[in-house]
Amino acid sequence: MSVPSPLPDAAARLAALEREAAHQAEVSAGDGRSWAGAKDGIRPVVIVGAGQAGLVLARGLRRRGIDDVVVVDAAPADAAGPWTTYARMHTLRTPKDIAWPTWGTPAVSPRAWFEAVYGVEAWRDIEYFPTAAWQGFLRWYRDASAVTPVASTRVRSLTAAGADDPLELHLEGPDGAWMLPARHVVLATGIEGAGGRHVPALLEGLPAGTVHHTHDDIDFTALAGRRIGVLGAGTGAFDNAATALEHGAASVDVHMRRPAMPQVSPYRWMEFAGLIENYGSFTDAQKWEFNVHLSAVDQPATQNALWRAHAFDSFRFLTSSPWKSVSWTGRDIAVTTPHGIHHYDVVLAATGIAADLARRPELAGVAADAALWSDRLSPAEAARNPGLAAFPYLDDDFGLVSRSAPDASALSRIHMFNHGARISQGMLSHQIPGLVGGATKLAAALSRRLFQRDSEALLAEYLAYDVPVGVQIGRRPQAPVAVG
């Protein structure tokens, strides 16, 4: 799907939309009083990640009077999120009319932006938001929300000396290394935020340049004329296959271990307010069963991704085709499946991510003390899905839970607003369909925690408040009568 052409007056329409957003924010913000800001150089909240989840949360915190929030991102200013890297689909996978957290300002919704840029008719004509347009919306949303991320800045480590001490983010950016203290840290770090890319062991040992994970920065122009095998058959597998073919690959095979593509998408069932807002009310046993079932049934690749790949005669989709062994012949890669041996020049691992907190530099220092779901399950239950059992066990505020001091630890002020929340807070909590529930819940939790922290100072401020409102006793003064 191509992105429609912007209207000739799109810039003026966007400027008008931004004015309307400012007006809506003004009339719905109450007194706009800021009550939780930096104290002694310690920021109330630092958000790591300037993608959709980080931006939405930053705006929501400001709407609650929480200022001095810092947003940092490892990517350059206009490249946050996956939209310029491994998100190689033409459209989002979420229906266009999914709810969006506007924080009382409908003018900052994706639909309002799209209609301003491309027109009402263009909105009616699309089924899914074009990926390139989504990136444009997020940039506008960032600017309209007056959020200025600290770009090209990585978290080298995250530490806390004691349960009530500030969290210390050790950062490295264009100007060198520095430390930023915070009461709370939110990790809005996307699908790899609780670990990293999973590359099966059978692909180890292949020559450099012959194997890539689909999240890698792949030079597809270098794949022209190459035979490519793809392990895995999710939507990303087909998007990467199509991208390779669009860049001149000789052939691409996508291998699926299942006998057929799933026909039911559990995610479509999930996208209702009751679940999104209340998933956390499930018991641990219910959360575990929910996610084990989700992994077992999986979901189909999106129709657009399937059509995009199947548009090429040199594309094949092979079912019941797990990779039993992989070897380098000296000339190419030999992949053995139940149906024979396939030869490829390059293989792509569309094999998702693995949860492993120690792989994340911002979590490596606390990973050993962070509770996992395996700590809350019997060995038999954990064995049902060891990959899920490795996910962090979070409290109701998206916070990590300490193994050594579960009731008094700084870990509870490290909030996983990323894929790590999958089991504890819901698969959709940080993703587009669930941001209304996830961001609202986390913003409220941070507000409550900051208020509890400052409650004595706020009470003292209240007790000392003595600003007169200027009431007058007696009848209302009469307005002077105009003469002549």
Side-chain angles (χ1 to χ4, degrees), residues 298-311:
D298 207 352
Q299 64 172 332
T302 62
Q303 187 62 72
N304 286 339
L306 288 165
W307 281 336
R308 182 182 172 196
H310 279 284

Side-chain angles (χ1 to χ4, degrees), residues 214 220 227-245 251-262 300-301 305-310 312-323 335 337 339 342-344 346-351:
T214 52
F220 281 93
R227 301 164 298 165
I228 299 171
V230 182
L231 175 59
T235 298
F238 292 92
D239 282 324
N240 278 268
T243 302
L245 289 164
S251 65
V252 179
D253 295 344
V254 167
H255 292 256
M256 184 184 213
R257 61 180 173 81
R258 296 174 186 268
M261 179 66 69
L306 288 165
W307 281 336
R308 182 182 172 196
H310 279 284
F312 294 86
D313 293 336
S314 52
F315 171 77
R316 290 194 302 173
F317 175 38
L318 306 174
T319 57
S320 299
S321 190
W323 291 11
V335 175
T337 75
H339 307 296
H342 305 266
H343 290 269
Y344 301 113
V346 175
V347 295
L348 304 181
T351 44

Side-chain angles (χ1 to χ4, degrees), residues 92-95 97-99 128 191 234-235 258 262-276 279 290-302 352-353 388 391 419 421-423 426-434:
L92 300 187
R93 301 165 187 173
T94 305
D97 55 358
I98 203 72
Y128 298 95
I191 194 169
T235 298
R258 296 174 186 268
Q263 293 298 307
V264 175
S265 178
Y267 288 84
R268 297 292 83 85
W269 179 88
M270 294 183 207
E271 292 165 356
F272 66 100
L275 179 79
I276 290 171
Y279 174 93
F290 186 101
N291 284 274
V292 168
H293 175 75
L294 179 61
S295 292
V297 300
D298 207 352
Q299 64 172 332
T302 62
I353 60 94
L388 291 182
F391 271 73
H419 193 64
R422 167 179 178 171
I423 306 178
M427 189 68 181
L428 303 176
S429 59
H430 68 291
Q431 297 171 326
I432 297 170

